Amino acid sequence: MILENLCNEIGISGHEEKIRKIIYNEISNTVNDIRVDTLGNLYAYKKGKNNKHIMLCAHMDEVGFVVKEVLDDGAISFASVGGIDSRILPSKSILIGEQRIPGIIGVKPIHLQTEDERTKVIKEEDLFIDIGTNSKEETLKYVNLGDYISFNSRFEFLTNKIAKSKALDDRVGCSVLIEILKQNFECCIIAVFTVQEEVGLRGASVAGFNLKPDYAIIVEGTTASDVSGVEEYEYITSLGKGPAISILDGGSYSNKELVSKIVDSANKNNIKFQYKKGTTGGNDAGKIQISDSGIKTAVISVPCRYIHSPSSVINIEDYENTKKLVQTVLSEIK
Amino acid sequence: MQEYFYKMLNISSVSGNEENLSQLIKDNITQYVDEIIHDNLGNMICIKKGTGKKIMLTANMDECGIIVTHIDKKGYARFSLVGHFSLYALINQPISVNGEIGIVRYGEEGEPKDLKVSKMFIDFGFESEQDALNHINIGAIGALVPHYVQNENKIISKSFSNKVGCYILMQLAKNIKDNNNEFYFVFTTQREIGNKGAKVSAYNLEPDYCIAIDKVIVSDKDEGIKVKNGPCIKLKDKSMITHPTVRDLLLDAAKRANIKHQLLVCSESESEAGVIFTQKTGIPSGTVCVPVVNHRTNYEMYFEEDIDKTVKLLQGIV
């Protein structure tokens, strides 16, 4: 499964090369034109039979960390790349740099913590990475300042429907786009795989210019908050209820005519869907909507529980339905 | 005020849903302009053709509102804000969603404090979740119920910044007789959720300079901005420092026509000019503001003389 390969590869924001390579190899034979821009965004153009141009967009990068400093005792001080809840970090297994040097995020043992330290969230600067070395010199044999750090977590199924992995946001989107590009549609497709979404939609800030698509559909992984202890009215999305369609989020207001095409298509083809309920957070649509002289955007997302963690969880049926929904929408654009 | 101004007050135009207002403006401006363009974001660009300088004037059509995010078992609608409404200004106010009117309630006993939108809901009087879903859907947009009061030259209405700005642009389209310069009267969208319309229209039109028409909230301090003291020429805000070309253009116009005006330097507010001036290779921009009392509430107050003087000031730039 291509989704599994994409999730198991590492592509922290600014280091998307390996993801780009997988995508390139998967699609280069099925598209008419393929190129990479200065920032690293990958563009694939697939000609159709009519003159409508639909931009599809997914980001290649994932959240992670970067090596900030190697301390005298060999421990590594790090900074996060993208939004990560520091409460989830202690004792997590990680991989550093190209060589995938394994390490563990360490913290001062509980019996040495003050009462204040025990009751407060441990901040990133009070955590360190332990790769089993005892001195700065020894650590520097394996690790350099600026090396990227990824969660060490592989794609696996918890049940036959529920899958767990790091980086599901947004390898689900990349995977949907790859599968779409292997099919033929009446409309022309401009697929854009962007870089550095997690650190401020940076790839997308340039990706929307000069393409002049009729519509842009952003395929994302988004927060599912349907977990124990949360009131139902605070569920942003729920697992198993199908792709989430955004009306408004912190970055963009979806084009109404495009949203109604998507909703009609879902209803006509009996594809289960939900509306994304929260209006906070953002994605590449925030930049694409206001690129050039304005682009009509919409966002379709696969709900992910525990997003931005080593163990994001999706329902594979939501993934399949997201793919199906994008397919039917594209096939109905005349 | 022209009759259509009051019609504008009776239309809701929450960000992203400006179509009805845009249509009303179109009906009343068509005869004064040469061409009207609607772009991908719903901006309406009304062009008065000329061969001289390209002058862009903007006013946003949108207002703040709410979006329904959930219907609970009792049929109450939970919501998020569209734009930056004050929660204190929303509580106990009537809201219209898909033509259904409900009241914003607060879900805790006692006097509300530390208001959170997650504790607020709209009570439409529906009897159940299903009853509610028969009338309103998740994602439906809601706005304060339109109303207005005119008391001599004082106008009180629900959140109508910046319909006042739109009205001023319409007067300018009618009154400006300059046949040399080219004018773009741009009625923008999605200002309240990040100046989106202004950004793309400026990128698209690439004018020689731009003036945004906006509001300024009156101050209760002695030295602050006052109502009935004429338009404010903004010199600086959080998002920009007014370009000297545009600043002088406005100051000269005020002087020539002898229009009472105020100068505004502030470190908080922002305006459409703040995103417009960095488009393409840079667009000299500035902002003229009309004083408003009680901004972004169900009872904003404007004075006709401030509106009239703003029109006169801007007419004087050509």
Side-chain angles (χ1 to χ4, degrees):
Chain A
M1 195 178 174
I2 183 65
L3 175 60
E4 181 171 352
N5 296 344
L6 287 165
C7 285
N8 287 339
E9 191 47 273
I10 294 172
I12 308 300
S13 309
H15 295 277
E16 298 85 356
E17 313 78 36
K18 295 192 170 67
I19 308 303
R20 190 165 52 232
K21 194 171 167 198
I22 295 180
I23 297 169
Y24 192 99
N25 291 341
E26 283 288 329
I27 62 174
S28 58
N29 291 330
T30 74
V31 298
N32 299 86
D33 188 27
I34 187 161
R35 71 183 171 88
V36 178
D37 74 9
T38 317
L39 295 193
N41 296 312
L42 175 70
Y43 302 72
Y45 178 69
K46 181 154 185 162
K47 209 174 152 26
K49 295 190 185 100
N50 68 31
N51 202 27
K52 293 280 182 203
H53 286 74
I54 312 303
M55 175 179 181
L56 298 176
C57 185
H59 67 91
M60 296 185 284
D61 62 316
E62 68 189 280
V63 298
F65 312 90
V66 58
V67 175
K68 206 163 72 174
E69 195 186 347
V70 176
L71 307 174
D72 288 342
D73 60 4
I76 295 161
S77 141
F78 63 93
S80 53
V81 175
I84 300 176
D85 181 351
S86 65
R87 288 175 305 175
I88 67 158
L89 298 183
S91 300
K92 293 294 182 297
S93 164
I94 52 88
L95 297 170
I96 306 174
E98 293 288 307
Q99 306 305 318
R100 293 190 167 216
I101 306 296
I104 299 296
I105 299 180
V107 64
K108 196 201 276 189
I110 189 158
H111 49 278
L112 297 180
Q113 291 172 4
T114 63
E115 193 179 333
D116 200 37
E117 283 173 324
R118 277 201 300 275
T119 50
K120 281 198 176 131
V121 175
I122 303 166
K123 293 196 294 270
E124 196 176 272
E125 51 264 36
D126 297 327
L127 296 165
F128 53 87
I129 289 170
D130 183 347
I131 59 166
T133 52
N134 292 316
S135 70
K136 189 171 183 170
E137 292 68 39
E138 201 185 349
T139 301
L140 285 170
K141 282 184 204 158
Y142 306 101
V143 172
N144 287 312
L145 290 198
D147 279 357
Y148 59 78
I149 305 168
S150 157
F151 288 120
N152 185 6
S153 166
R154 294 187 70 80
F155 183 97
E156 58 189 335
F157 277 93
L158 301 181
T159 68
N160 60 356
K161 277 200 297 202
I162 305 294
K164 159 254 145 185
S165 179
K166 71 172 181 68
L168 283 163
D169 168 18
D170 182 28
R171 302 294 151 68
V172 287
C174 296
S175 180
V176 165
L177 264 55
I178 291 170
E179 297 202 54
I180 292 285
L181 287 170
K182 290 180 177 172
Q183 301 165 27
N184 294 310
F185 295 94
E186 295 277 310
C187 62
C188 304
I189 295 171
I190 312 162
V192 185
F193 299 88
T194 59
V195 295
Q196 301 188 36
E197 193 267 358
E198 298 292 1
V199 288
L201 322 178
R202 295 179 192 162
S205 338
V206 304
F209 286 86
N210 304 322
L211 299 175
K212 308 259 180 228
D214 293 285
Y215 297 110
I217 299 174
I218 287 73
V219 187
E220 257 288 9
T222 198
T223 315
S225 47
D226 58 328
V227 297
S228 191
V230 176
E231 295 282 353
E232 203 184 331
Y233 64 79
E234 291 181 310
Y235 291 178
I236 307 290
T237 63
S238 304
L239 248 57
K241 292 191 172 170
I245 299 171
S246 303
I247 307 279
L248 167 74
D249 63 31
S252 71
Y253 197 116
S254 297
N255 177 265
K256 286 190 285 186
E257 126 203 350
L258 180 54
V259 168
S260 84
K261 271 184 203 295
I262 294 168
V263 169
D264 288 351
S265 184
N267 286 332
K268 204 159 66 187
N269 296 286
N270 265 326
I271 302 168
K272 191 155 56 161
F273 73 94
Q274 57 189 316
Y275 288 108
K276 183 173 171 179
K277 289 178 170 179
T279 52
T280 52
N283 52 61
D284 280 344
K287 290 292 181 191
I288 291 168
Q289 187 195 4
I290 53 171
S291 291
D292 217 301
S293 37
I295 294 174
K296 295 175 178 176
T297 59
V299 187
I300 303 179
S301 307
V302 179
C304 298
R305 284 185 193 159
Y306 326 115
I307 201 162
H308 292 192
S309 86
S311 310
S312 302
V313 166
I314 60 165
N315 183 323
I316 212 75
E317 284 176 3
D318 292 335
Y319 169 80
E320 292 298 336
N321 279 324
T322 301
K323 189 174 73 188
K324 212 159 118 190
L325 181 56
V326 177
Q327 274 168 6
T328 59
V329 170
L330 290 174
S331 62
E332 284 162 15
I333 287 175
K334 301 282 189 262
Chain B
M1 306 298 279
Q2 306 273 348
E3 196 200 332
Y4 56 70
F5 178 70
Y6 301 100
K7 287 191 186 158
M8 287 163 78
L9 298 185
N10 276 329
I11 289 178
S12 289
S13 55
V14 177
S15 309
N17 298 270
E18 300 89 350
E19 300 85 352
N20 292 344
L21 182 60
S22 150
Q23 185 60 48
L24 178 67
I25 294 170
K26 189 179 183 180
D27 293 344
N28 290 285
I29 201 172
T30 307
Q31 57 180 312
Y32 303 114
V33 296
D34 300 311
E35 190 184 351
I36 295 181
I37 300 169
H38 296 269
D39 73 10
N40 277 343
L41 259 56
N43 292 309
M44 182 164 70
I45 300 157
C46 303
I47 306 174
K48 214 169 179 145
K49 293 205 164 138
T51 51
K53 292 277 185 201
K54 297 197 271 181
I55 305 168
M56 174 173 173
L57 295 153
T58 73
N60 63 293
M61 294 186 283
D62 60 318
E63 64 184 80
C64 297
I66 63 102
I67 177 167
V68 174
T69 54
H70 180 73
I71 306 288
D72 69 19
K73 298 275 179 288
K74 292 177 182 155
Y76 297 147
R78 299 279 170 171
F79 62 92
S80 286
L81 300 184
V82 182
H84 300 278
F85 255 133
S86 151
L87 294 178
Y88 284 98
L90 263 188
I91 211 161
N92 299 334
Q93 300 301 326
I95 289 267
S96 171
V97 180
N98 294 359
E100 292 288 338
I101 294 176
I103 298 283
V104 178
R105 289 180 52 188
Y106 193 61
E108 301 225 318
E109 296 294 324
E111 287 296 311
K113 53 175 192 287
D114 301 329
L115 288 187
K116 282 197 185 98
V117 71
S118 62
K119 288 183 181 167
M120 296 165 78
F121 56 86
I122 308 169
D123 185 349
F124 293 91
F126 294 130
E127 284 164 11
S128 65
E129 183 179 2
Q130 195 49 54
D131 186 20
L133 285 169
N134 290 340
H135 297 89
I136 52 179
N137 55 296
I138 307 292
I141 296 291
L144 289 167
V145 175
H147 65 87
Y148 67 85
V149 181
Q150 170 108 30
N151 174 221
E152 296 182 347
N153 79 340
K154 196 184 308 171
I155 305 153
I156 298 173
S157 171
K158 70 135 172 173
S159 192
F160 67 124
S161 306
N162 200 7
K163 283 173 186 154
V164 167
C166 294
Y167 179 77
I168 290 167
L169 281 197
M170 294 163 81
Q171 300 315 298
L172 291 171
K174 180 170 73 138
N175 297 351
I176 289 175
K177 305 290 183 210
D178 179 0
N179 289 324
N180 179 30
N181 294 312
E182 179 145 303
F183 287 89
Y184 304 125
F185 302 100
V186 184
F187 299 88
T188 61
T189 57
Q190 303 187 29
R191 146 90 205 252
E192 302 289 356
I193 53 173
N195 294 311
K196 294 182 189 307
K199 183 181 184 293
V200 303
S201 56
Y203 182 93
N204 193 13
L205 297 169
E206 225 181 328
D208 291 305
Y209 51 90
C210 175
I211 299 167
I213 323 297
D214 206 342
K215 89 291 139 179
V216 55
I217 304 166
V218 300
S219 163
D220 50 8
K221 295 197 189 84
D222 289 343
E223 70 278 18
I225 298 298
K226 299 268 172 293
V227 293
K228 297 187 281 186
N229 277 256
C232 293
I233 297 172
K234 200 185 250 194
L235 302 178
K236 177 199 174 297
D237 66 19
K238 194 166 87 179
S239 62
M240 77 172 305
I241 295 165
T242 302
H243 193 279
T245 313
V246 178
R247 179 195 64 204
D248 293 344
L249 192 74
L250 292 167
L251 291 174
D252 290 348
K255 202 171 165 189
R256 269 201 309 273
N258 195 23
I259 293 163
K260 188 174 180 187
H261 62 280
Q262 316 177 62
L263 295 180
L264 175 63
V265 176
C266 61
S267 48
E268 282 310 308
S269 71
E270 40 82 55
S271 83
E272 291 191 314
V275 298
I276 290 169
F277 87 107
T278 53
Q279 295 305 307
K280 287 282 175 79
T281 52
I283 298 167
S285 303
T287 307
V288 175
C289 306
V290 191
V292 59
V293 177
N294 253 7
H295 181 233
R296 286 187 184 131
T297 68
N298 203 5
Y299 303 97
E300 288 186 358
M301 180 163 68
Y302 277 92
F303 286 80
E304 268 188 42
E305 57 188 274
D306 290 330
I307 299 173
D308 291 344
K309 282 181 187 143
T310 310
V311 173
K312 288 209 182 73
L313 169 69
L314 288 164
Q315 254 168 250
I317 63 171
V318 292

